[in-house]
Amino acid sequence: MKETPTLETSVTRLLAALEPLLPVVDEPQERWVLAGERQQTVVDVRDPKRTLRESYGHVFGAARKLKVYEEARAAFEADAVLSQGQRSSGYWATLDAVLPYLIVESGRITKRGIRIDLPAALKALASLRRVLQQPQLHYEASCRLLGVNLSRRELQLPDGLSLHRLTPRERNQRQPYIQRYFGSPQEDQELPFHRTEIRLPLTESVDHSQDASIFAANNRAYERATTLFGHVLNAILLVSPGRADLGTVVLSGGLPLMTHGTTRRRLGTVPIGLSRLGITAREIPRIKVAYAMLSGSAGSDKVLSRALHRFILGRQRRDPLDRLVDYVIAWETLLLTSEGDELKGELSYRFSLNGAGLVSTSTGSPKPGTFQQFRAAYSARSIIVHGLDDKGLKNKLAAGGFSSLGDACSFLEEAFRKSLFWLAAKPQADRPYRAPGGWETFLWD
């Protein structure tokens, strides 16, 4: 009776048969890279792993006709780990997916052609089988933080998050290849000018007996990273003036050969120029406080959460009309709520009075002038919402000492920022919109 070859033997025979068939596909790729802090150039890049993948692609059809290919496929289907892995990861545990991965991991390009290190290939196969049996998968997510400059090489945040200042070399290495037939998107050309990256290690549980469980783990990791990166961005927008945004979230790890889909982000919301939103170690304590409020780890305060949500919307607006409306609504949430309920009557007066009291307490600004600024901002918001004339808007702004909508927005933004951290330092029950006696007690005190 003929002995059935083992999985390792079948894979070794197949790789040995493929080695002389593999052509060296020497097609350099192009990418945009930095040629200075304000300049770029296009360079040719030779990626050995890409060359090995393309080499196998040229012989894929011929490989499937080999007898040793059929033997290897039968060994895959008979292997308990790989056959079970096809349930949790589908195509990525089949011979068609694993074979090019083994070639990439063990192949090297020489003057005589492509050579495959068979022990290295078997080592990669064994590692893959171990991953398919692990109850947990480990990932690392990263994302460019657009428009932000760090004063240090690295800064630590809660939940394992960290900020890193990339060197020019690191930024160039992360550049995607230019798409030859479709051209390079504008955002790819802009990306090297953005120096800061967020990173997050992740661990997800996997039940390999369930269909598509590895795909589900990938999705959970991607969604969690996207959520936490969003909290970081919003915390920075709460703490510092200036423009910032997130780039594309990149996920690595998990099942080594499995590709992770990403949703490309357009980068046009943040200017390329060197004048950026700066973060030093001094901002980190406040960023941590803001992050705790946004992520919910600081406790549930629905009034403050609603105000934060509207303020963040305003921070991301480019049109000052929209920004002012959002800022006033954020302030209304705080100033027109008393003892957990909405205030009735004389809203403009109460808005201005409570706002002047809060800002004066948190910043030391004089109450009369601040009262007029809040009253002017509230009136300007009403004119914008009801579509009244520009002259009336200009007069209302002037009554508060504002030279423009942008000036009013700057006041509302900076005052909210300072008042927010004053409120965050107080127990929830003592915040004016929740405390017994509400704003009246706060103002009298």
Side-chain angles (χ1 to χ4, degrees):
M1 182 176 179
K2 185 177 179 181
E3 184 178 350
T4 303
T6 65
L7 174 66
E8 290 76 11
T9 300
S10 299
V11 170
T12 300
R13 289 177 181 174
L14 176 56
L15 290 172
L18 284 175
E19 186 181 68
L21 303 179
L22 295 170
V24 177
V25 185
D26 189 14
E27 297 181 7
Q29 300 293 311
E30 295 179 327
R31 60 162 56 133
W32 285 97
V33 297
L34 292 169
E37 283 301 330
R38 294 176 180 268
Q39 297 178 336
Q40 286 179 294
T41 187
V42 175
V43 299
D44 289 343
V45 180
R46 283 176 167 79
D47 182 350
K49 290 184 179 293
R50 187 184 184 97
T51 297
L52 290 167
R53 281 192 295 269
E54 292 185 359
S55 176
Y56 177 72
H58 279 71
V59 301
F60 172 69
R64 301 191 74 181
K65 296 177 182 178
L66 297 174
K67 182 178 179 181
V68 286
Y69 188 95
E70 292 301 325
E71 291 177 354
R73 180 152 58 186
F76 259 64
E77 294 173 354
D79 184 84
V81 173
L82 292 169
S83 60
Q84 182 68 29
Q86 291 178 29
R87 181 172 186 180
S88 60
S89 60
Y91 165 79
W92 300 104
T94 66
L95 179 60
D96 285 342
V98 174
L99 184 57
Y101 169 74
L102 298 180
I103 292 173
V104 168
E105 292 298 305
S106 63
R108 56 189 177 89
I109 303 167
T110 70
K111 293 181 179 179
R112 296 184 177 182
I114 292 175
R115 296 291 179 263
I116 297 176
D117 183 339
L118 295 176
L122 294 180
K123 184 178 179 180
L125 178 62
S127 177
L128 183 64
R129 293 178 77 255
R130 285 195 296 272
V131 172
L132 287 170
Q133 299 176 81
Q134 291 174 357
Q136 294 180 325
L137 292 178
H138 304 286
Y139 302 87
E140 180 167 291
S142 62
C143 179
R144 201 67 60 89
L145 188 53
L146 310 173
V148 173
N149 284 339
L150 298 184
S151 64
R152 294 186 179 182
R153 175 72 168 148
E154 181 178 339
L155 291 171
Q156 296 297 322
L157 296 174
D159 293 332
L161 290 151
S162 56
L163 300 179
H164 299 260
R165 187 180 63 206
L166 301 178
T167 65
R169 182 180 180 184
E170 289 172 326
R171 283 178 269 160
N172 287 341
Q173 289 173 338
R174 284 160 171 74
Q175 274 298 92
Y177 296 116
I178 294 175
Q179 302 173 28
R180 293 185 176 181
Y181 300 105
F182 302 102
S184 179
Q186 180 66 29
E187 48 263 38
D188 287 354
Q189 298 180 42
E190 297 174 13
L191 191 58
F193 294 105
H194 298 280
R195 308 167 183 171
T196 303
E197 182 176 81
I198 317 177
R199 297 176 192 167
L200 174 67
L202 296 156
T203 299
E204 294 292 340
S205 299
V206 180
D207 182 355
H208 294 282
S209 66
Q210 299 297 314
D211 292 343
S213 56
I214 290 182
F215 292 101
N218 290 350
N219 291 338
R220 290 195 302 272
Y222 183 83
E223 290 171 4
R224 185 180 172 204
T226 301
T227 298
L228 296 186
F229 290 165
H231 291 334
V232 171
L233 171 66
N234 292 340
I236 290 172
L237 293 176
L238 278 174
V239 169
S240 302
R243 293 168 62 179
D245 204 348
L246 294 177
T248 299
V249 176
V250 178
L251 189 67
S252 60
L255 189 63
L257 74 167
M258 182 181 283
T259 58
H260 302 291
T262 58
T263 302
R264 294 182 66 86
R265 294 284 297 271
R266 297 193 61 83
L267 312 187
T269 58
V270 179
I272 294 175
L274 297 180
S275 179
R276 303 284 184 82
L277 189 159
I279 297 178
T280 68
R282 289 179 298 178
E283 278 80 49
I284 292 300
R286 279 195 160 195
I287 289 175
K288 289 180 178 180
V289 171
Y291 179 89
M293 288 188 287
L294 290 160
S295 63
S297 58
S300 176
D301 184 332
K302 290 184 178 180
V303 174
L304 194 59
S305 295
R306 284 196 297 269
L308 285 174
H309 173 71
R310 183 58 69 166
F311 179 78
I312 291 298
L313 288 178
R315 285 285 283 114
Q316 295 171 333
R317 303 282 194 187
R318 300 280 72 86
D319 188 331
L321 290 170
D322 294 331
R323 192 158 68 248
L324 185 135
V325 170
D326 282 328
Y327 284 166
V328 171
I329 293 174
W331 274 110
E332 281 183 297
T333 305
L334 299 177
L335 304 178
L336 299 184
T337 301
S338 186
E339 297 185 79
D341 200 3
E342 62 179 318
L343 290 171
K344 307 290 186 181
E346 299 181 326
L347 297 183
S348 175
Y349 175 75
R350 297 298 302 271
F351 176 88
S352 306
L353 182 66
N354 295 347
L358 178 58
V359 173
S360 177
T361 302
S362 58
T363 69
S365 62
K367 291 181 182 179
T370 308
F371 177 88
Q372 295 301 328
Q373 287 175 304
F374 270 102
R375 172 161 273 185
Y378 193 87
S379 299
R381 179 256 193 184
S382 298
I383 290 174
I384 293 169
V385 169
H386 296 292
L388 301 182
D389 63 287
D390 292 341
K391 183 178 180 181
L393 176 60
K394 185 177 181 179
N395 291 337
K396 290 296 183 183
L397 291 172
F402 300 126
S403 61
S404 65
L405 272 172
D407 191 18
C409 288
S410 296
F411 161 74
L412 293 171
E413 179 182 321
E414 190 57 28
F416 186 93
R417 183 174 287 118
K418 292 178 179 178
S419 299
L420 171 74
F421 289 103
W422 184 86
L423 290 169
K426 300 183 73 64
Q428 286 193 33
D430 295 338
R431 295 169 185 171
Y433 51 82
R434 287 192 177 279
W439 286 100
E440 285 80 2
T441 299
F442 170 76
L443 294 171
W444 291 335
D445 289 342

